[in-house]
């Protein structure tokens, strides 16, 4: 088993042989895990607002529209990108169409991989157990922020490497991500609060979201992206 | 004072405003520091073997030719890229023309910056003291290996951030490099020996070089690259 980490989507060279885990801690893959933990049936990523609206009109008329631009809910949509919005009485049994700036783009990069999962701190161990059972080469694909390196995603990749890399061969970036996580695991919240994306979310009023997105293993779900739709693996 | 880290030369967008520190731990910037600590007067980086030979013929007839391809000394050259070759009785008072795969390329990327220095673990504190005295924004530019991320360069950048970043504003990559260094500082040798470039150098017989390149602060020199020539700052 070989483990690699892509720090940004541009780092990723499509490989049909690999299992890909997409990580967008702030906040898409955290909200996705939260949605499934609260009963969401399927989640359809969309690249643009127009695509999301068209998907609802043409294929999923009962779906909730969700997503953000610049961190804020899209006008006319039912849900933004805060995990606190994805509560059971809203998402249980529902289909959600979601368009976000970074997470959706990263999923699109990975779409031709043999298997694609999504992970955050909130469901890290569940994803690692799934990967260990598969025993295949894995790439952790960090969504980043508008194509740029985002430390919170790489820290989560580092936790995942640590969690499932015991007997694996690690690339330099996998070694680096694990080292990075080890270096700040006792001050994870302070580090991410001081990061570029953390500071921005605090500025627009989402400091509580940052703290929530760093909670470990509060959900046991493993969202899997297949043929354009995310369901529970 | 703002600090950024570029994980590879391609990460670097030329900025005339910035001070750039080029890092190629294995082994160019370690050998450069060693050469100056042992009396080398000037060192001229060359992009290609042909350019190195032409520089000697046209401008520096007394210079030593130095460098590597795939880690091995270039046929007909006096010096390879091992710091153990740059001893006083060979380099004292001399001009060296050096062409290496990664370090030279990174220096070329940085050539238009306001000031360019080279650093490794061996001269980290001396470089940090110089940067602190300047008090300007700094970019640590990791040479990588053939354009790819190389953990040893980023770990050295992390040490440099830790050393001079106390009152600075850190980018996400600077935060990440520092976290990475903190995460493995007690097992630095094992980590770099397990890295891609570390493994390669061991395979071709340079394990002792890897250990030497990770020694902290054995030299107090600050090599500065200006108008195509490196001298002591």
């Amino acid at each position: 088993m070989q483990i690699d980490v892509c720090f940004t989507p541009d780092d990723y060279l499509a490989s049909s042989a690999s299992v890909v885990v997409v990580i967008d801690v702030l906040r898409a893959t955290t909200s996705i895990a939260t949605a499934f933990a609260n009963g969401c049936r399927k989640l359809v990523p969309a690249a643009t607002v127009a695509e999301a609206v068209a998907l609802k009109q043409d294929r999923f008329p009962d779906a909730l529209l969700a997503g953000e631009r610049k961190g804020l809910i899209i006008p006319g949509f039912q849900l933004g990108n805060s995990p606190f919005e994805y509560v059971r009485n809203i998402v249980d049994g529902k289909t959600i169409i979601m368009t976000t700036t970074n997470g959706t783009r990263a999923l699109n990069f990975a779409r031709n991989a043999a298997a694609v999962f999504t992970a955050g701190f909130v469901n890290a161990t569940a994803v690692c157990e799934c990967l260990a059972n598969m025993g295949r080469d894995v790439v952790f694909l960090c969504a980043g922020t508008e194509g740029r390196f985002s430390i919170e995603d790489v820290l989560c990749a580092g936790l995942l490497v640590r969690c499932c890399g015991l007997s694996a061969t690690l690339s330099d970036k996998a070694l680096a991500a694990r080292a990075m996580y080890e270096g700040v695991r006792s001050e994870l919240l302070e580090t991410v609060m001081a990061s570029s994306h953390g500071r921005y979310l605090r500025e627009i009023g989402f400091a509580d979201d940052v703290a929530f997105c760093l909670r470990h293993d509060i959900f046991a779900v493993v969202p899997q992206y297949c043929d354009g739709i995310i369901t529970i693996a």
Side-chain angles (χ1 to χ4, degrees), chain A:
Chain A
M1 183 178 179
Q2 299 193 332
I3 300 182
D4 193 14
V5 174
C6 297
F7 289 166
T8 63
D10 287 336
D11 264 1
Y12 177 74
L13 297 170
S15 160
S16 60
S18 287
V19 174
V20 181
V21 178
V22 171
I23 301 168
D24 185 9
V25 169
L26 296 176
R27 296 167 287 170
T29 58
T30 303
S31 292
I32 290 169
T34 309
F36 283 106
N38 286 327
C40 167
R41 281 183 57 197
K42 66 175 91 161
L43 193 147
V44 188
T48 64
V49 173
E51 185 186 329
V53 171
L55 278 165
K56 180 171 165 72
Q57 286 177 341
D58 301 341
R59 294 181 54 198
F60 306 100
D62 298 328
L64 298 170
L65 285 170
E68 57 71 37
R69 287 298 179 269
K70 298 187 187 302
L72 302 171
I73 189 168
I74 295 161
F77 278 33
Q78 285 85 48
L79 295 162
N81 195 26
S82 169
F84 292 115
E85 300 176 75
Y86 292 71
V87 291
R88 182 165 294 274
N89 67 353
I90 291 178
V91 304
D92 192 20
K94 293 285 173 50
T95 294
I96 297 171
I97 300 167
M98 177 187 259
T99 177
T100 71
T101 315
N102 307 302
T104 312
R105 182 163 174 267
L107 281 167
N108 196 41
F109 268 72
R111 68 186 182 281
N112 294 322
V116 182
F117 303 100
T118 72
F121 287 97
V122 293
N123 65 332
T125 295
V127 171
C128 279
E129 285 170 356
C130 170
L131 297 173
N133 287 335
M134 296 178 81
R136 298 178 59 177
D137 296 347
V138 177
V139 175
F140 294 115
L141 172 51
C142 299
T145 306
E146 292 170 8
R148 286 176 285 107
F149 178 93
S150 236
I151 193 169
E152 69 280 3
D153 294 336
V154 183
L155 288 170
C156 182
L159 168 64
L160 290 159
V161 171
R162 183 172 183 265
C163 186
C164 51
L166 283 183
S167 59
T169 304
L170 306 185
S171 74
D172 269 29
K173 286 183 181 172
L175 278 171
R178 188 180 66 182
M180 210 183 295
Y181 176 75
E182 296 288 356
V184 295
R185 53 188 287 221
S186 63
E187 51 200 18
L188 198 61
L189 182 61
E190 299 88 320
T191 302
V192 176
M193 284 290 191
S195 75
S196 166
H197 203 166
R199 289 199 309 270
Y200 178 70
L201 287 175
R202 281 159 57 200
E203 280 167 21
I204 63 170
F206 288 114
D208 289 348
D209 282 39
V210 178
F212 182 88
C213 292
L214 300 178
R215 292 181 66 189
H216 285 44
D217 295 327
I218 53 175
F219 304 129
V221 296
V222 181
Q224 181 165 10
Y225 179 57
C226 188
D227 295 332
I229 293 175
I230 301 176
T231 53
I232 290 296

